Amino acid sequence: MNHPASLAALRQPLPEELLLALQNMLEDRCSTSLAMREHHGSDESSYDPMLPDAVVFAQTTEEVAAIMQLCNHYEVPVIPYGAGSSLEGHVLALRGGVTLDLSQMNNMVAVHAEDLTATVQAGVTRKQLNLEIKDTGLFFPIDPGADASLGGMAATRASGTNAVRYGTMRENVLALTVVTADGRIIKTGSRAKKSSAGYDLTRIFVGSEGTLGIITEVTVKLYPLPEAISAAVCTFPSTAAAVNTVIQTIQMGVPIARVEFLDENGVRAINAYDKMQLPEKSLLLFEFHGSEHSVQEQAEVVQDIAAGNGAGDFEWATRPEDRSRLWAARHNAYFALLQMRPGARSISTDCCVPISRLAECISETQLDCERNNIIYSIIGHVGDGNFHVLMMIDPHDPEDIAKAEGVNARMVARAIAMDGTCTGEHGVGLHKMDFLIQEHGENAIDMMRTLKHAFDPKNIMNPGKIVSWEKN
Amino acid sequence: MNHPASLAALRQPLPEELLLALQNMLEDRCSTSLAMREHHGSDESSYDPMLPDAVVFAQTTEEVAAIMQLCNHYEVPVIPYGAGSSLEGHVLALRGGVTLDLSQMNNMVAVHAEDLTATVQAGVTRKQLNLEIKDTGLFFPIDPGADASLGGMAATRASGTNAVRYGTMRENVLALTVVTADGRIIKTGSRAKKSSAGYDLTRIFVGSEGTLGIITEVTVKLYPLPEAISAAVCTFPSTAAAVNTVIQTIQMGVPIARVEFLDENGVRAINAYDKMQLPEKSLLLFEFHGSEHSVQEQAEVVQDIAAGNGAGDFEWATRPEDRSRLWAARHNAYFALLQMRPGARSISTDCCVPISRLAECISETQLDCERNNIIYSIIGHVGDGNFHVLMMIDPHDPEDIAKAEGVNARMVARAIAMDGTCTGEHGVGLHKMDFLIQEHGENAIDMMRTLKHAFDPKNIMNPGKIVSWEKN
């Protein structure tokens, strides 16, 4: 799929002196090989790759600062890169430049179990973090599916399956270390649970997608492992019945830990890919956290609500290995769906609406996909009013792309009209820049542009993402 | 108490044309009377009043925009004013100008009970909001004690007694309507529970204390009223025993709704002021929310922890009127303490530390107050690691002030050394500007200054608060 090419015209060759300086500093951690550049010039979106001129690997905040000072001096774009799992074209090197890979910054900085906090370098992934703290009785709940890096998760304001109970990266990042566009190191926030001490720099960088600075360390909240966890699958006669069950559960204030919707298409794909035998109907996957009694109490309330919506029986997965299998299958949905159409790529989009409008928003989007004969699935973190549409398209067929983009545009317009948002958790990247204006209006976008100009006056931080440099 | 007077030298008389234009637009809602200016030129801090040149009352966002356009044209400072309950000198008119009172913007804009959201004009107070939604089965939990306006609460990133369970304004504001320094109207956020759609403008304005723009509407999360609520008072042999009970409760992950610490001085003052018969020892006030069974379960866990720390028995207040009386007494602590020293004003300060350091931070601060012979009390939202020191001082006695400010400075230094923050919920205002640098470092403060310059290029939005305009 093509990308907005306007910035490619601004592409400048990498200054020889800069490359030499980077090679001098980083030795074999500075590469210009085609393979390395290709790997870093694409993400999980369906965009064609767009390569940086060089890829560098930093190991410390001080190295990141030194790299930024050099690139600032030469006014060369820098694209921070975590696990490469973003979905909206976030890491494409639209104007070339240097991709700064943070995956080698994968050290734990500090675990303060007694305070329920951990500080990690940006390249630590969520699975690594949970492994490192497994003896503390604590866990880090945010789970976007991919084994993303904490830096990347902060930069895209990630969330995922557990957010309905534990919140998103917006609520769970306490502090950051950030390198600014001109190579200064700043610390935002502290390990205090709350603070009124000045402007919320932390939340300016959370969700900024590498366009304002580079996140090099992240301090997050941890949570005590629940005394009891149980998970269940439940089938519904229709999408509406499933989604209405979720709406009522949220309105009742049940502190459910996870509630995921899968449509029939998604279930079918997962069954084939993961050799599961889930009933091929609209499904909800539930997970309950709490004391033994509270888990039981929550489950009873939700079972009542589900029964009132014509649901089948709950099938329980109480053994940890069964739960893991279930959630692994859920997380593989993206790869499972790609198998439904050989050679396809996925246009994956998401939106989020106020909970009462969710059934309507999903149903209309399903109808739209079907009218357009798209191979698709709708799955989602429905407890938050957030869902995903995955559309399997031929990336070389403009008509196919246009159909899917039509569905996407109408879904976003629908979500915004319902007072929702054009993306609940994927971020803006390249793919949702136009929708951002639609959602926030020109004045708010001007404000965002003002922020970008102030924090990145040379427009070198992941340029061309979130907001255009100039007013269109 | 004197304030940093440097800005007073920059004070300019209000341009005649501006005053005429405001009078023309607002008629009797524009006042230059001394009484009105005096009322608006002070807050609950111990600073001497510093009066604006005029006070205007807006009733709509459009009026606020028109006022800002005028003041921007004449480059005259504007100080937004809610309920006047701030504590750190937030509303003092350091350079004169216009105080913009939003208390007449007290209409409900929309209640979406089915989505658990409400949108209100900025002047609606938290008590009014809860009254307006009392038939929905929902409530708005954030409770800073004073009946503050929602706009003011957003602007100071307020929290209070319920924050340990429900979060602060940072977590509970979904969207804002804001008027910018040059009089444009922007909408930040949506009613979606989460979003990755661009820079987090909402959280830039939450906590900005009127220095970046004027909040005119606030959309907040609401919560289902708990099925069961119970409250209890429990005495402890020492501060450490009480605080350690809280630390262990939080570390266990008990979803306690409120846990407030009162020292003996605070209890004594409340008993006198509110005619209560609380035992005059270190106290914790607890409140539990949940299902009948979950409340009981939480209470049992906490009672066990408390007993392990040598606590007395829990005295339960299960009737709503007893609970209300208890919390009213807690909220009156400030006024109760003022009675302990006739003619005194209070230097009220707060800080917040990682939970494991709380006992140490409180004990050392108590010792410091006692060494300095200050009439004081420490009370606080200890579940968040947040506590307040109220010191009764003679506002005309420089030595008295110096002693209290010494305690304050050492408490802040202590909190920062523990990786905490110089203010958990009071905000920066005038009083904590120097500490902000100590907490965040020069580079981060530069970043805040960059933001201020970008959003308020003429320095007319509540000038002289949070960060100084020029680098010192």
Side-chain angles (χ1 to χ4, degrees):
Chain A
M1 191 168 111
N2 292 324
H3 18 67
S6 58
L7 289 181
L10 297 173
R11 195 169 177 132
Q12 302 271 349
L14 200 65
E16 193 68 28
E17 303 87 344
L18 172 61
L19 186 59
L20 280 171
L22 290 170
Q23 284 167 336
N24 211 31
M25 183 198 319
L26 300 163
E27 300 179 350
D28 62 350
R29 291 188 281 121
C30 173
S31 168
T32 55
S33 83
L34 183 62
M36 191 67 88
R37 292 165 52 223
E38 277 181 346
H39 177 68
H40 286 80
S42 61
D43 59 8
E44 302 284 353
S45 74
S46 57
Y47 285 114
D48 295 335
M50 201 136 186
L51 311 194
D53 299 304
V55 177
V56 298
F57 293 81
Q59 290 174 342
T60 63
T61 296
E62 288 67 28
E63 273 185 0
V64 173
I67 293 164
M68 280 315 310
Q69 284 160 19
L70 281 170
C71 291
N72 180 53
H73 177 76
Y74 290 101
E75 305 198 12
V76 165
V78 177
I79 299 116
Y81 186 99
S85 52
S86 50
L87 291 159
E88 304 286 6
H90 295 76
V91 299
L92 273 55
L94 299 183
R95 276 173 42 199
V98 174
T99 290
L100 175 46
D101 186 315
L102 295 143
S103 60
Q104 294 182 19
M105 289 189 65
N106 59 356
N107 291 322
M108 300 295 291
V109 178
V111 177
H112 291 278
E114 70 286 8
D115 294 320
L116 314 176
T117 73
T119 302
V120 302
Q121 282 191 312
V124 169
T125 69
R126 65 176 183 88
K127 286 186 184 170
Q128 183 193 342
L129 170 57
N130 275 316
L131 208 62
E132 301 268 8
I133 61 174
K134 78 173 173 1
D135 295 332
T136 61
L138 304 174
F139 79 121
F140 175 67
I142 317 297
D143 174 0
D147 189 20
S149 68
L150 272 287
M153 287 172 65
T156 48
R157 207 180 292 130
S159 46
T161 54
N162 278 311
V164 60
R165 170 137 175 179
Y166 297 95
T168 73
M169 290 300 274
R170 181 174 74 190
E171 288 81 26
N172 283 284
V173 174
L174 286 169
L176 297 171
T177 302
V178 172
V179 174
T180 63
D182 58 0
R184 283 174 299 163
I185 297 168
I186 65 170
K187 304 247 182 191
T188 75
S190 70
R191 291 198 305 108
K193 195 175 157 210
K194 64 183 199 182
S195 173
S196 288
Y199 304 138
D200 195 347
L201 294 179
T202 305
R203 261 141 293 269
I204 291 179
F205 287 101
V206 169
S208 66
E209 303 184 11
T211 64
L212 299 178
I214 299 183
I215 295 168
T216 63
E217 288 183 11
V218 187
T219 299
V220 292
K221 293 184 195 171
L222 305 176
Y223 295 82
L225 278 165
E227 183 189 323
I229 299 180
S230 66
V233 181
C234 182
T235 61
F236 289 83
S238 66
T239 297
V243 177
N244 284 326
T245 298
V246 177
I247 294 174
Q248 292 156 22
T249 300
I250 298 301
Q251 289 172 341
M252 292 275 291
V254 180
I256 196 163
R258 288 170 153 169
V259 53
E260 294 284 305
F261 170 78
L262 275 87
D263 66 6
E264 288 180 41
N265 301 335
V267 179
R268 206 173 302 124
I270 282 178
N271 276 347
Y273 185 80
D274 284 289
K275 318 230 176 327
M276 305 281 284
Q277 282 87 36
L278 296 168
E280 294 181 0
K281 286 186 168 187
S282 292
L283 280 190
L284 290 178
L285 310 186
F286 294 99
E287 195 166 281
F288 305 97
H289 293 181
S291 67
E292 293 287 355
H293 192 277
S294 144
V295 160
Q296 195 187 324
E297 202 172 49
Q298 293 174 47
E300 278 165 17
V301 174
V302 176
Q303 280 174 304
D304 277 354
I305 296 172
N309 285 292
D313 287 340
F314 273 45
E315 286 179 43
W316 291 96
T318 27
R319 292 191 309 169
E321 56 271 34
D322 294 340
R323 280 206 311 274
S324 297
R325 187 144 175 265
L326 198 59
W327 290 111
R330 161 64 188 89
H331 284 335
N332 284 336
Y334 171 80
F335 301 103
L337 280 157
L338 284 176
Q339 304 305 313
M340 301 298 274
R341 183 174 175 187
R345 291 203 69 168
S346 168
I347 291 189
S348 300
T349 181
D350 84 316
C351 69
C352 188
V353 294
I355 192 77
S356 72
R357 310 299 297 273
L358 184 61
E360 194 183 342
C361 195
I362 289 181
S363 302
E364 288 178 19
T365 306
Q366 282 178 320
L367 204 62
D368 197 2
C369 287
E370 271 152 30
R371 271 198 204 115
N372 283 280
N373 296 315
I374 292 170
I375 296 181
Y376 80 102
S377 172
I378 290 187
I379 55 185
H381 315 315
V382 279
D384 290 317
N386 178 212
F387 67 90
H388 303 264
V389 189
L390 293 90
M391 294 174 279
M392 303 306 118
I393 55 112
D394 174 353
H396 307 296
D397 179 351
E399 204 183 318
D400 220 26
I401 294 170
K403 279 200 302 189
E405 290 297 349
V407 169
N408 181 32
R410 287 185 294 276
M411 177 200 73
V412 166
R414 198 173 290 130
I416 293 172
M418 292 174 174
D419 211 355
T421 177
C422 68
T423 173
E425 59 178 25
H426 285 187
V428 178
L430 266 184
H431 197 206
K432 295 233 163 132
M433 287 174 64
D434 290 343
F435 300 131
L436 207 63
I437 306 172
Q438 201 176 322
E439 177 173 337
H440 297 288
E442 284 288 358
N443 283 341
I445 298 299
D446 275 349
M447 210 81 189
M448 292 192 195
R449 189 176 289 113
T450 298
L451 179 66
K452 167 73 174 171
H453 286 210
F455 278 28
D456 178 26
K458 295 180 179 172
N459 194 20
I460 58 174
M461 295 305 319
N462 199 8
K465 312 291 164 61
I466 300 189
V467 279
S468 63
W469 184 253
E470 277 160 12
K471 198 165 174 165
N472 292 319
Chain B
M1 191 168 112
N2 291 325
H3 20 67
S6 59
L7 289 181
L10 298 172
R11 193 167 179 136
Q12 301 273 347
L14 198 65
E16 193 69 29
E17 304 87 342
L18 172 60
L19 185 58
L20 280 171
L22 290 170
Q23 285 168 334
N24 211 29
M25 184 197 318
L26 300 163
E27 300 177 350
D28 62 351
R29 291 187 280 121
C30 173
S31 169
T32 54
S33 82
L34 182 62
M36 191 69 87
R37 291 163 54 223
E38 277 180 346
H39 177 68
H40 286 79
S42 61
D43 59 9
E44 301 285 351
S45 73
S46 56
Y47 285 115
D48 294 335
M50 201 137 186
L51 311 195
D53 300 302
V55 178
V56 299
F57 293 82
Q59 291 176 341
T60 64
T61 297
E62 289 66 29
E63 274 185 358
V64 173
I67 293 164
M68 280 314 308
Q69 283 159 20
L70 280 170
C71 291
N72 180 54
H73 178 76
Y74 290 101
E75 305 198 11
V76 165
V78 177
I79 299 115
Y81 186 99
S85 52
S86 50
L87 290 159
E88 303 286 7
H90 295 75
V91 299
L92 272 57
L94 299 183
R95 274 173 43 201
V98 174
T99 290
L100 175 44
D101 186 314
L102 295 142
S103 60
Q104 293 183 18
M105 289 188 66
N106 60 356
N107 291 321
M108 301 294 291
V109 178
V111 176
H112 291 277
E114 68 288 6
D115 294 320
L116 314 176
T117 72
T119 302
V120 303
Q121 283 192 312
V124 169
T125 69
R126 64 175 185 89
K127 287 186 183 170
Q128 183 192 347
L129 170 57
N130 275 317
L131 206 62
E132 300 268 6
I133 61 175
K134 78 172 173 359
D135 295 331
T136 61
L138 304 173
F139 78 120
F140 175 68
I142 317 298
D143 173 1
D147 190 21
S149 68
L150 272 287
M153 288 172 64
T156 47
R157 207 181 291 128
S159 44
T161 53
N162 278 309
V164 61
R165 169 135 177 183
Y166 297 95
T168 72
M169 289 302 275
R170 180 173 75 189
E171 288 80 24
N172 283 287
V173 174
L174 287 169
L176 297 170
T177 303
V178 172
V179 173
T180 63
D182 58 0
R184 283 174 300 162
I185 298 168
I186 65 170
K187 303 246 181 192
T188 76
S190 69
R191 290 197 305 110
K193 194 177 156 205
K194 64 185 199 182
S195 173
S196 287
Y199 304 137
D200 195 346
L201 294 180
T202 304
R203 261 143 290 273
I204 291 178
F205 287 100
V206 170
S208 66
E209 303 183 9
T211 65
L212 300 177
I214 299 182
I215 296 169
T216 61
E217 288 183 13
V218 187
T219 300
V220 293
K221 294 184 195 170
L222 305 176
Y223 295 81
L225 278 165
E227 183 189 322
I229 299 179
S230 66
V233 181
C234 182
T235 61
F236 290 83
S238 67
T239 297
V243 178
N244 285 325
T245 299
V246 177
I247 294 175
Q248 292 156 24
T249 300
I250 298 300
Q251 288 172 341
M252 292 276 290
V254 180
I256 195 163
R258 288 170 154 169
V259 54
E260 295 285 306
F261 170 76
L262 273 88
D263 67 6
E264 288 179 41
N265 301 335
V267 179
R268 204 172 306 123
I270 282 180
N271 276 348
Y273 187 79
D274 284 290
K275 320 230 176 325
M276 305 280 284
Q277 283 87 35
L278 295 168
E280 293 181 2
K281 287 186 167 189
S282 291
L283 279 192
L284 290 178
L285 310 187
F286 294 99
E287 193 167 281
F288 304 97
H289 293 180
S291 67
E292 292 287 355
H293 192 278
S294 145
V295 159
Q296 194 186 325
E297 203 172 48
Q298 294 173 47
E300 279 166 15
V301 173
V302 176
Q303 280 173 305
D304 277 355
I305 296 172
N309 285 292
D313 288 339
F314 274 45
E315 285 178 43
W316 291 96
T318 27
R319 291 189 311 170
E321 56 272 34
D322 293 340
R323 282 205 310 275
S324 297
R325 184 141 178 266
L326 199 59
W327 291 111
R330 161 64 188 90
H331 285 333
N332 284 337
Y334 170 80
F335 301 102
L337 280 157
L338 283 176
Q339 305 305 315
M340 302 297 274
R341 184 174 174 188
R345 292 203 66 167
S346 168
I347 290 191
S348 300
T349 181
D350 83 317
C351 70
C352 187
V353 295
I355 191 79
S356 73
R357 309 299 297 274
L358 184 60
E360 195 183 342
C361 196
I362 289 181
S363 302
E364 290 177 20
T365 306
Q366 282 179 321
L367 206 60
D368 198 1
C369 287
E370 272 152 30
R371 271 198 204 115
N372 283 280
N373 296 315
I374 291 171
I375 296 181
Y376 79 103
S377 171
I378 291 188
I379 53 183
H381 316 314
V382 279
D384 291 318
N386 179 209
F387 67 90
H388 304 262
V389 189
L390 293 89
M391 294 174 279
M392 303 308 116
I393 54 116
D394 174 353
H396 308 295
D397 179 351
E399 203 184 319
D400 219 26
I401 295 172
K403 279 200 300 188
E405 290 298 346
V407 168
N408 181 32
R410 289 185 294 276
M411 177 200 73
V412 166
R414 198 173 291 131
I416 293 172
M418 293 175 173
D419 210 357
T421 178
C422 68
T423 172
E425 57 178 27
H426 285 187
V428 179
L430 266 184
H431 196 207
K432 294 232 163 133
M433 288 175 65
D434 291 342
F435 300 131
L436 208 64
I437 305 171
Q438 200 176 327
E439 176 173 337
H440 297 289
E442 284 286 357
N443 283 340
I445 298 299
D446 275 350
M447 209 80 188
M448 291 191 195
R449 189 175 288 112
T450 299
L451 179 65
K452 168 74 174 172
H453 286 208
F455 278 29
D456 178 26
K458 295 181 180 172
N459 194 21
I460 57 173
M461 295 304 321
N462 199 7
K465 314 290 166 62
I466 299 189
V467 280
S468 63
W469 183 252
E470 276 158 15
K471 199 165 173 165
N472 293 319

